Amino acid sequence: MMASSVASPLCTWLVAACMSASCEKDHFLKLPSIFRCSRRLSRSARRRKVVVPQFLNAGGAGLVSSFCASGIQNWLNSCLTFEPCEEYYNSEGLASSLSCFSENAFSLFGHKAEPVTRRQRRMNRAAISGKAMAVAVKPQKDTIAKKKSLTEKRRIVVTGVGVVSSLGHDADIFYSNLLEGVSGISQIETFDCSEFPTRIAGEIKDFSADGWVAPKLCKRADKFMLYMLTAGKKALADGGITEDVMEEIDKAKCGVLIGSALGGMKVFNDAIEALRVSYKKMNPFCVPFATTNMGSAMLAMDLGWMGPNYSISTACATSNICMLNAANHIIRGEADIMLCGGSDSAIIPIGLGGFVACRALSQKNGDPTRASRPWDVDRDGFVMGEGAGVLLLEELEHAKRRDAKIYAEFLGGSFTCDAYHMIEPHPEGAGIVLCIEKALAQSGVAREDINYINAHATSTPAGDLKEFEAIMRCIGQNPELKMNSTKSMVGHLLGAAGAVEAVATVKAIQTGWIHPNINLENPDKGVCRTPVCL
């Protein structure tokens, strides 16, 4: 599971322009004509003359926009949707907002028979003379209810997965290795790290983008981008998005939201080294290929997908938030298909050195496969990993129409903040507990129905225990609960961690088998010795 933020309803409308906006292309509000009355009319004639604005109304929905002397200006750029709460309909706010209109003024809601005051007459004269004036429009409850019901019916399913990892670049091979308890942790070989206290990582040894990425791009792009492009296209292939299907789907409703925690560190580092010689030696692609969003952009350009496209960079939570936001785009009807996930490749001197400086990495160099040991009393830090994971999310009815295979259904989720420390977890696990509670509430899942958790569990002394305690507080009462950590075999993939672990979770649902948690030989005193931790 991954939830929606809740915005409090606006119960008091201080502005008279109150409406539910429906931004359909043929619906316009033509207001400037109300300001074009001749000033040469007598005062009595001006009071008698009524100019009704041309107001196109579809089902009671309207559109309001800013305007100036020349008429409506750039209304598309300032279109806002407002949905009044139930309290507004039961209040007298609407009636009071109409008090500025006289008995001769136009009314959209029927004749108002109250006596006209001197102040109201002045306001009417101001409106006729061309001065700006507020317009009150009654929102249609039917339109609002209809829109909400349509949104609530959109269900999301996973129809494809793609992965690039130290345990394989095919989802089936990747999960088969996980089930066998194979470790992808080994000695670092891409550069000389003999002077570093940590010399191990979940390094990818045999990656090739041939057949997935153009050769010219392979030479220029950072590995994080190549991993992302490859995993994304493999997710499409796994989901049955063939060339024939691509011709039939609405590409304006297909998006890409794949993030990265660190982006193109290698490309950027190489540019800095080149700059030491001369700026003329720098790679002209160093800046765009270092940015975290460029992988999503390149994938969308390759596919011709014109829906939502951006990236999110929130450290270890990058992939989870990308997947949640992608789901929200589908829920809101902004997309029917979304490729989402994360990618990172930071096993280079500056990446390794930075985490060494933080004292965050394991130094069990003598036995790499046993270095990542979540919840074990002998854990001494996490092991860096690299790779990418991508899910193909799709609206249920859209998937059924093309007869797609469905791995799992996305029910909901949440994101919160500890608001405590840059690295250390909250001592009471407050942020984790809040996130779990909100995710359960948003998805409508009872805590006793949760029977498997793929935990974050990075193999750090503080983080593992605090996360475990928070999970147990929320849903540990279920005797059927199982929990493991994919990081025990692939290490911590940083911004790609959540997506690669989501692939593992989807494969667990598909196969009915849960992979073991290797190296858990002496559980921490705060961790129970039960099937909860496999």
Side-chain angles (χ1 to χ4, degrees), residues 186-188 193-201 352 362-363 365:
S186 61
Q187 297 287 338
I188 295 174
C193 57
S194 58
E195 295 183 359
F196 289 84
T198 295
R199 299 181 289 278
I200 58 175
L352 181 66
S362 171
Q363 298 184 16
N365 301 301

Side-chain angles (χ1 to χ4, degrees), residues 64-311:
V64 65
S65 177
S66 301
F67 52 85
C68 60
S70 60
I72 297 180
Q73 182 184 49
N74 297 329
W75 65 271
L76 276 175
N77 295 328
S78 58
C79 179
L80 301 176
T81 300
F82 299 91
E83 297 182 0
C85 59
E86 191 67 29
E87 286 80 356
Y88 178 78
Y89 292 107
N90 298 328
S91 70
E92 297 180 356
L94 183 60
S96 62
S97 68
L98 294 176
S99 61
C100 64
F101 296 105
S102 72
E103 57 186 353
N104 294 326
F106 74 91
S107 173
L108 300 177
F109 322 115
H111 180 68
K112 179 173 172 57
E114 278 93 356
V116 181
T117 65
R118 182 180 301 175
R119 179 172 177 273
Q120 291 167 347
R121 292 194 183 97
R122 282 201 303 269
M123 292 184 69
N124 292 338
R125 288 197 297 271
I128 296 172
S129 65
K131 295 183 181 179
M133 172 179 171
V135 180
V137 182
K138 182 178 180 180
Q140 286 289 333
K141 298 176 69 174
D142 294 340
T143 302
I144 297 171
K146 182 178 179 182
K147 186 181 72 172
K148 285 188 175 179
S149 64
L150 289 174
T151 299
E152 290 169 358
K153 289 181 181 177
R154 290 178 68 86
R155 295 167 62 186
I156 304 166
V157 292
V158 180
T159 55
V161 294
V163 68
V164 173
S165 75
S166 59
L167 288 181
H169 315 318
D170 175 84
D172 290 333
I173 295 174
F174 164 71
Y175 199 64
S176 177
N177 283 326
L178 287 178
L179 291 176
E180 294 295 327
V182 177
S183 175
I185 311 299
S186 61
Q187 297 287 338
I188 295 174
E189 298 178 0
T190 53
F191 64 95
D192 181 11
C193 57
S194 58
E195 295 183 359
F196 289 84
T198 295
R199 299 181 289 278
I200 58 175
E203 186 180 54
I204 295 174
K205 309 290 188 185
D206 56 352
F207 173 75
S208 173
D210 292 347
W212 301 102
V213 183
K216 185 179 291 186
L217 182 59
C218 285
K219 295 178 180 179
R220 295 172 173 173
D222 192 278
K223 285 197 295 184
F224 101 94
M225 188 183 296
L226 299 180
Y227 294 163
M228 182 187 298
L229 294 172
T230 303
K233 291 186 177 181
K234 288 187 175 183
L236 284 179
D238 183 57
I241 305 292
T242 62
E243 291 184 2
D244 292 338
V245 174
M246 287 285 282
E247 292 178 0
E248 297 176 0
I249 61 178
D250 182 1
K251 294 184 179 180
K253 302 198 74 175
C254 299
V256 184
L257 210 175
I258 307 175
S260 177
L262 298 175
M265 290 191 71
K266 179 68 164 56
V267 167
F268 196 73
N269 186 73
D270 290 347
I272 293 173
E273 294 300 320
L275 184 60
R276 297 180 188 278
V277 179
S278 169
Y279 72 91
K280 297 179 181 179
K281 300 291 185 180
M282 293 176 66
N283 180 351
F285 299 97
C286 65
V287 172
F289 282 0
T291 57
T292 60
N293 73 297
M294 192 52 63
S296 288
M298 295 295 289
L299 183 54
M301 286 188 283
D302 197 1
L303 301 174
W305 286 13
M306 301 177 67
N309 185 288
Y310 56 99
S311 71

